[in-house]
Amino acid sequence: VVGLAFGFGVPVSAAYCLEVAPTSWRSFSFVLFHLFYSAGEAYSVYIIWLDDPSMKHLHWRWLLIVGALPTIILTFLSAACLNESPSW
């Protein structure tokens, strides 16, 4: 189910990233998007390897919680650092 969500979400997120970014920042934001996506995949591999290198007895609840930590941290960090959008 998670893989299916990523399959639908990544192309849409990449397109949204290109649409929202100013013209001068589009290439940089697109590269940054894919860089962070690859870093997230590497993080997933790392926590799975820490849990069970043989991948025979994975603790899926622990993996989901630890996998969600960067998202939770970045959500609060971005909420604190981003400026409020102007109302038109």
Side-chain angles (χ1 to χ4, degrees), residues 38-80:
S38 299
E41 288 178 341
Y43 176 70
S44 299
V45 169
Y46 180 69
I47 63 172
I48 289 171
W49 180 77
L50 282 177
D51 184 40
D52 185 15
S54 65
M55 292 186 62
K56 294 185 179 180
H57 304 288
L58 293 173
H59 303 96
W60 64 271
R61 288 183 182 102
W62 180 82
L63 291 171
L64 284 176
I65 291 169
V66 174
L69 285 177
T71 304
I72 294 168
I73 292 168
L74 288 175
T75 298
F76 287 112
L77 184 65
S78 64

Side-chain angles (χ1 to χ4, degrees), residues 8 10 22 25 53 67:
F8 284 121
V10 169
W25 283 81

Side-chain angles (χ1 to χ4, degrees), residues 83-88:
N83 296 330
E84 187 175 339
S85 298
S87 58
W88 299 100

Side-chain angles (χ1 to χ4, degrees), residues 17-53:
C17 181
L18 289 174
E19 288 288 327
V20 172
T23 308
S24 61
W25 283 81
R26 283 188 184 158
S27 297
F28 178 72
S29 65
F30 192 67
V31 168
L32 202 62
F33 170 79
H34 284 289
L35 179 72
F36 281 125
Y37 182 75
S38 299
E41 288 178 341
Y43 176 70
S44 299
V45 169
Y46 180 69
I47 63 172
I48 289 171
W49 180 77
L50 282 177
D51 184 40
D52 185 15

